[in-house]
Amino acid sequence: MSGLDFDFYESEDPVWNPALLTIPVPGIRKMVNMAATMDDVIHLSIGQPDAPAPPHVIQATVDALEAGQTGYTMDAGLPELLDALADYNGERYGREISPENILVTTGATEAIYLALTAVSAPGREFIVPDPSFMLYAPLIRMNGGEVRHIPTRAENNHQLDPQEVIDAIDSNTHAIVLNSPSNPTGTVYPRETIETIVQEAAYRGIYVISDEVYDHLVYDNRDYASVLSCCSDLDHVMVISSFSKTFSMAGMRIGWMIASQGAIKKLRRYHMFTTTVANTPCQWAGVAALKGDRSFIDGIVETYKKRRDRLVQLVEKTPYLEGYMPEGAFYLFPSLPEGVNGNNVALRLLRETGVCTIAGDTFGESCRNALRISYATSIDNIEKAFARIIPWMERQDFG
């Protein structure tokens, strides 16, 4: 970690808001920065698609730029994109969604930021699966909220037990955070899990904040249960997604939130004081993605499925790694033996084999003996990586 990194994250200089101390040093950034100083590194670390965006999506961006579409849009988003999102999601999930239910954001990251920081406050408790995407807990804690983790395990495919969630609810519970398919586990929650949690939360007046950015990356013809298809109304839900993973548009930074009209009105004002509006030319790219040919999605899903299948086979051959079959996204989160420090293993793997993975403690407190492996890379790279990992693991003694 560079000196600048240390100064930013660890300094107690009174100029900084103490809330910044709730933000951990990002494990992903630490590993990628270290890998950048090395030669011949194979990345099983990066959480973004390795394919370019579809040509018609790129062309729509170019066309918008050439047409002079470089100014601000309406604060909620480009009207054409709001209409397209309402039509698309309404048709997909079989419910009435209006443009007034949608806020276009600078990637799903801004939508997550708005949702969590707008509703967290001292004394409010949030139920969050563990492991989970690294943004959730720090954003909750920045505003004084408290996080109650529900651990999941590799031997159970990291499935979330809805009864455990219900049993964790108490008088201080303000919201439940869901992420299906999950980063870092690739787990897809079955419909009964989502329905049980959403119904109980509605009965108790608790928000469900659902991060669904991998909603199209689901394998084996598995049913995908969005919160939008499991709730009777939008009064206590915020559903977040983006074009980043589905259309390989990660750097174009277009996401959105779907919620009640009242919630969207409040969050539009907050949004104006954060990023003001999302990238205008790339919002036109989003319109093209939704209204144009979507066969790109089928192609990448098939590609990721083949990579997943091979990765699972290789993990099964690797000493000390306990894998499972992830149903979505492009991650596997295998466990090491109990008590083994995954951070140390990830660092040694990188230094001694040149394979970059991400330590489990980046994603939670109950998974320090795990590694996140991304298969958003070619099968050839996956094969080469495990040609290094397997012999290295065979030499270890984690007994």
Side-chain angles (χ1 to χ4, degrees):
M1 187 165 56
S2 72
L4 287 175
D5 284 338
F6 184 86
D7 287 345
F8 180 79
Y9 288 105
E10 304 300 333
S11 171
E12 295 184 5
D13 188 321
V15 71
W16 299 112
N17 184 338
L20 287 178
L21 296 177
T22 67
I23 303 175
V25 178
I28 296 173
R29 181 179 176 186
K30 178 174 67 176
M31 294 299 291
V32 172
N33 282 0
M34 183 180 297
T37 67
M38 301 171 57
D39 296 323
D40 191 27
V41 172
I42 302 173
H43 275 280
L44 302 181
S45 56
I46 306 299
Q48 69 174 359
D50 59 328
H56 68 284
V57 169
I58 295 172
Q59 190 58 50
T61 313
V62 174
D63 291 344
L65 287 165
E66 291 182 341
Q69 296 287 338
T70 57
Y72 298 127
T73 65
M74 297 292 291
D75 58 280
L78 183 73
E80 290 84 350
L81 180 55
L82 293 171
D83 288 340
L85 285 166
D87 292 345
Y88 179 74
N89 285 283
E91 179 180 348
R92 187 178 186 200
Y93 298 120
R95 69 178 308 131
E96 186 71 26
I97 297 175
S98 77
E100 288 74 26
N101 291 122
I102 304 172
L103 173 64
V104 176
T105 57
T106 302
T109 300
E110 189 206 354
I112 293 167
Y113 174 86
L114 295 176
L116 292 177
T117 60
V119 300
S120 61
R124 292 181 175 180
E125 187 176 88
F126 291 68
I127 294 174
V128 181
D130 187 346
S132 63
F133 185 42
M134 61 183 185
L135 256 63
Y136 308 146
L139 290 177
I140 292 164
R141 291 172 177 144
M142 279 179 68
N143 283 11
E146 299 174 5
V147 178
R148 183 163 186 173
H149 284 116
I150 306 293
T152 64
R153 302 292 178 188
E155 58 264 30
N156 298 322
N157 282 35
H158 286 288
Q159 283 293 338
L160 184 65
D161 184 341
Q163 191 58 52
E164 285 192 47
V165 175
I166 292 170
D167 292 345
I169 296 173
D170 61 26
S171 60
N172 295 322
T173 304
H174 192 70
I176 299 165
V177 179
L178 299 177
N179 177 211
S180 174
S182 164
N183 177 4
T185 68
T187 301
V188 178
Y189 299 149
R191 184 168 297 276
E192 53 267 29
T193 294
I194 302 293
E195 287 179 342
T196 300
I197 293 171
V198 168
Q199 290 170 11
E200 185 71 19
Y203 173 72
R204 301 201 190 197
I206 296 168
Y207 254 102
V208 173
I209 300 170
S210 185
D211 176 356
E212 301 184 2
V213 299
Y214 297 94
D215 57 349
H216 282 87
L217 303 187
V218 177
Y219 312 121
D220 307 317
N221 297 313
R222 186 181 179 90
D223 171 55
Y224 177 68
S226 168
V227 163
L228 290 172
S229 63
C230 296
C231 61
S232 58
D233 57 51
L234 300 178
D235 286 346
H236 290 92
V237 302
M238 299 182 192
V239 179
I240 293 160
S241 195
S242 80
F243 293 107
S244 295
K245 317 301 181 182
T246 306
F247 290 97
S248 291
M249 293 169 58
M252 298 170 83
R253 311 310 301 137
I254 303 296
W256 62 88
M257 181 193 300
I258 299 176
S260 69
Q261 293 187 21
I264 293 298
K265 284 181 180 178
K266 289 183 174 65
L267 291 172
R268 282 175 63 179
R269 182 171 58 186
Y270 191 13
H271 168 64
M272 290 175 66
F273 279 82
T274 52
T275 64
T276 307
V277 297
N279 181 302
T280 297
C282 293
Q283 289 190 63
W284 283 108
V287 175
L290 292 175
K291 292 194 168 184
D293 179 17
R294 295 198 291 267
S295 61
F296 174 83
I297 300 173
D298 295 333
I300 61 167
V301 167
E302 184 59 30
T303 297
Y304 289 139
K305 180 181 179 299
K306 290 177 181 176
R307 295 174 180 178
R308 177 205 64 174
D309 293 347
R310 184 56 182 147
L311 176 60
V312 168
Q313 291 173 348
L314 290 166
V315 167
E316 287 177 351
K317 296 178 180 179
T318 305
Y320 300 116
L321 285 185
E322 179 177 353
Y324 55 93
M325 182 63 75
E327 303 99 339
F330 38 62
Y331 306 108
L332 181 65
F333 198 71
S335 293
L336 293 153
E338 197 69 34
V340 174
N341 187 314
N343 187 58
N344 289 344
V345 172
L347 287 169
R348 288 185 58 208
L349 266 177
L350 178 57
R351 289 170 177 155
E352 297 173 25
T353 74
V355 176
C356 188
T357 61
I358 305 300
D361 62 4
T362 301
F363 305 97
E365 300 173 0
S366 70
C367 46
R368 297 180 181 277
N369 64 319
L371 300 172
R372 191 190 76 172
I373 299 173
S374 169
Y375 50 94
T377 188
S378 68
I379 286 182
D380 185 49
N381 278 341
I382 293 169
E383 297 276 6
K384 289 177 180 177
F386 275 82
R388 302 179 186 183
I389 291 172
I390 292 174
W392 186 86
M393 284 289 196
E394 289 173 340
R395 295 193 297 270
Q396 306 310 304
D397 181 10
F398 294 138

